Amino acid sequence: MDYSTIVTKQRTYFQSQQTKPLAARKAQLKLFKQMLVVNETSIYEAVHADFHKSAHEAFLTEFAILIKDIDEARAKLSDWMQAKRVPTNLVNLPGRSRIQPEPLGVCLVIGAWNYPVQLSFAPAIAALAAGNTVVLKPSELAATSAQCMADIVAEYFDPKIFTVVLGGVPETTALLSERFDKIFFTGSPAVGKIVYQAAAQHLTPVTLELGGKSPAVITPSAALPTAIKRLVWAKFLNAGQTCIAPDYLFVHSSIYQQCLDLLGQEIKKNQYALDNHNYVQIINERNLERLSKLIDPNKIVYGGQIDQSTRTIAPTILKDITTTEPIMQEEIFGPLLPVLPYSDFNEVLQYIAHNEKPLSAYLFSNNKTEQTRWTQQLSFGGGCINDAIMHITNPNLPFGGVGNSGMGAYHGKAGFDCFSHQKAIFEKPNLLEAPLKYPPYTKAKMTWIKRLLKFS
Ligand code: NAD
């Protein structure tokens, strides 16, 4: 089926009003959950085939998140859908005002490969909950997961409500020439710009979930080794191929050597290896090569081993890195952690503020002044104090970037809002009204208008 036929069929169905009632939305969410539960093992097998992600990690970072998303949406949907009364201003009295969320229509979701199922299905769940139809284009780099999603969605869903389209750049380019009512993209800032430009042709609203370099800082007041334990988990989860992984680490010079030692010890404790299912592969040869080039052998304090045959890079700690080195110029998106010493917290803040706004930022500190400056002076999508990555797991926190790391947000209610338009309605009773706004315009009317609007 060609793309314009898919979009036309979905738009016709959307316009039939059948996606809008609460019961219809809940039915789709129920079906979604059923599809996931029945195919749980196939999903783990597919993700494992792509880059050896274990069932343990796939459960935590793909499956469980989706099930929780569906449960939350089903429980709260009727409240989210309610029109909200808002006060009516003096000029419009008597009258009533409300904000009515309405679905946008036919939504295109473009996924990334690093959490291939979660990043494709989570926006789709939010879009269906908000009463839309969905065309999903997962990443071709996690090909087995993409095929698995296409197969199970085709088995459970009517394509006029939800369908999966497979392909890479040419297919996505063709899809983007269609008119959608919303485009939700997860991927790199470079491709985000292409998507944004394509959307502009139809004035389609977009949410861009992008990436970049997310900083972490350990100050002298931090609780070591708890900070290191949390940081190591966050960095090497998915072999560092996480959009909100700490990309690089600033450590105060007074605790620099201690932190380097603790980082090594913590990595050892975690026993990262493919054969004990504690680690994942680099997604492809191209990324393996790109990452290999970022390792300066003279700076390795831990790890550094590259195995071409298993497509893995050991968790690697690099010391005495300066901000001018190649590893500090691009998002790493792999298991390499450059550690930079600092002596003045102001310089750290300045460095981060002078670069692109990060998707996430992590401060390990028990100093209230540092915490306040971190959250108030820096702009970033979201983040944690004394932890890393975990902010994404709270559905009450909107997840998204700012500036170069993206626009818009989702998860929980934010996901519902992301796929809804907030329609403003003003309702006026047929009572007599003061004739002030109607011609003929007179001086007396103007005086009254100014008085009412408090201009005199
Ligand atoms: P990518 O931008 O290369 O690809 C993302 C999607 O865009 C894929 O589906 C791909 O097929 C499509 N695509 C690629 N090139 C295209 C083109 N020229 N025209 C149209 N479509 C194209 O990103 P990726 O490698 O899949 O993911 C890595 C990036 O995504 C990193 O920057 C990472 O930080 C970011 N990311 C962000 C989030 C988030 O939630 N903010 C989550 C995961 C990944």
Side-chain angles (χ1 to χ4, degrees):
M1 200 187 292
D2 70 287
Y3 301 145
S4 60
T5 310
I6 293 173
V7 173
T8 305
K9 286 197 168 166
Q10 287 207 354
R11 184 157 287 116
T12 306
Y13 187 70
F14 177 74
Q15 285 172 345
S16 76
Q17 306 297 321
Q18 293 177 74
T19 64
K20 290 184 181 174
L22 175 64
R25 302 184 196 201
K26 281 195 162 176
Q28 298 307 325
L29 293 173
K30 191 174 168 197
L31 198 60
F32 214 126
K33 184 166 177 178
Q34 204 183 330
M35 174 184 81
L36 291 175
V37 170
V38 171
N39 292 286
E40 182 176 350
T41 311
S42 323
I43 291 170
Y44 297 157
E45 284 168 1
V47 178
H48 189 266
D50 283 327
F51 57 136
H52 278 215
K53 190 188 286 209
S54 65
H56 187 101
E57 240 177 65
F59 172 78
L60 283 177
T61 64
E62 313 255 6
F63 189 81
I65 290 180
L66 296 171
I67 296 289
K68 288 280 156 211
D69 268 2
I70 294 173
D71 289 348
E72 156 119 351
R74 283 173 74 188
K76 299 189 175 159
L77 196 51
S78 72
D79 179 44
W80 294 346
M81 286 171 65
Q82 285 300 315
K84 306 274 180 303
R85 281 273 308 262
V86 292
T88 299
N89 56 344
L90 187 63
V91 174
N92 285 307
L93 288 174
R96 284 169 182 234
S97 305
R98 63 181 187 272
I99 301 168
Q100 173 77 62
E102 66 169 17
L104 291 164
V106 183
C107 301
L108 172 63
V109 173
I110 302 175
W113 56 264
N114 57 328
Y115 292 87
V117 182
Q118 189 229 120
L119 295 174
S120 299
F121 277 168
I125 289 165
L128 292 171
N132 301 281
T133 68
V134 180
V135 178
L136 165 65
K137 208 298 291 178
S139 170
E140 73 282 16
L141 299 192
T144 320
S145 304
Q147 187 63 57
C148 169
M149 287 185 275
D151 292 344
I152 63 178
V153 169
E155 190 184 332
Y156 278 77
F157 283 89
D158 188 329
K160 64 181 185 280
I161 300 173
F162 180 23
T163 192
V164 176
V165 168
L166 296 177
V169 177
E171 291 79 5
T172 318
T173 307
L175 259 177
L176 284 168
S177 68
E178 297 296 326
R179 187 166 80 81
F180 288 93
D181 302 296
K182 169 86 191 186
I183 298 176
F184 187 104
F185 170 80
T186 303
S188 59
V191 180
K193 288 175 191 169
I194 297 172
V195 171
Y196 201 11
Q197 273 175 352
Q201 300 310 311
H202 301 289
L203 293 178
T204 300
V206 293
T207 295
L208 301 176
E209 294 282 344
L210 311 178
K213 289 182 91 63
S214 295
V217 181
I218 302 183
T219 79
S221 68
L224 300 175
T226 305
I228 297 287
K229 187 181 176 65
R230 293 176 185 167
L231 189 92
V232 163
W233 175 81
K235 177 69 192 185
F236 300 108
L237 177 76
N238 219 31
Q241 301 166 114
T242 303
C243 55
I244 50 170
D247 184 276
Y248 60 92
L249 173 64
F250 272 112
V251 176
H252 191 267
S253 46
S254 63
I255 50 168
Y256 190 71
Q257 189 54 48
Q258 190 190 357
C259 280
L260 290 177
D261 295 343
L262 285 170
L263 283 164
Q265 287 164 25
E266 186 60 33
I267 291 172
K268 212 179 259 174
K269 238 192 262 170
N270 282 292
Q271 300 171 20
Y272 291 107
L274 286 187
D275 30 344
N276 62 14
H277 307 293
N278 282 349
Y279 208 43
V280 308
Q281 294 177 309
I282 303 304
I283 189 70
N284 56 22
E285 301 288 341
R286 194 170 61 82
N287 272 293
L288 189 80
E289 188 162 335
R290 178 184 64 79
L291 289 162
S292 310
K293 286 188 189 144
L294 293 178
I295 303 175
D296 177 347
N298 300 317
K299 306 248 163 130
I300 298 172
V301 272
Y302 197 90
Q305 300 84 356
I306 299 165
D307 186 336
Q308 304 275 353
S309 63
T310 58
R311 234 172 50 225
T312 53
I313 300 179
T316 299
I317 304 294
L318 300 161
K319 69 167 178 177
D320 297 335
I321 299 290
T322 61
T323 54
T324 53
E325 290 177 51
I327 198 165
M328 291 301 289
Q329 312 314 312
E330 59 174 270
E331 180 182 5
I332 299 170
F333 219 58
L336 319 176
L337 183 65
V339 188
L340 297 83
Y342 81 89
S343 50
D344 182 355
F345 191 61
N346 289 312
E347 281 170 19
V348 172
L349 293 180
Q350 264 172 30
Y351 175 76
I352 297 168
H354 282 102
N355 281 285
E356 296 287 7
K357 293 178 180 179
L359 181 57
S360 298
Y362 306 115
L363 175 70
F364 292 88
S365 163
N366 286 314
N367 178 312
K368 283 282 164 221
T369 311
E370 286 171 351
Q371 293 179 356
T372 308
R373 294 187 67 197
W374 184 260
T375 51
Q376 293 189 358
Q377 290 183 15
L378 293 180
S379 179
F380 51 87
C384 309
I385 290 173
N386 292 325
D387 208 343
I389 286 191
M390 293 308 289
H391 61 299
I392 199 176
T393 61
N394 181 354
N396 300 314
L397 290 174
F399 177 71
V402 55
N404 194 66
S405 56
M407 61 181 72
Y410 72 132
H411 288 186
K413 169 83 162 45
F416 175 86
D417 290 342
C418 166
F419 287 97
S420 301
H421 164 62
Q422 304 297 327
K423 188 157 63 185
I425 312 277
F426 171 58
E427 205 175 316
K428 184 84 179 160
N430 291 318
L431 300 172
L432 277 181
E433 58 185 324
L436 299 182
K437 72 180 180 191
Y438 300 101
Y441 302 136
T442 64
K443 227 174 169 181
K445 283 182 182 174
M446 179 66 116
T447 308
W448 272 107
I449 290 172
K450 282 193 169 177
R451 218 172 266 172
L452 267 175
L453 296 177
K454 296 197 169 33
F455 273 101
S456 58

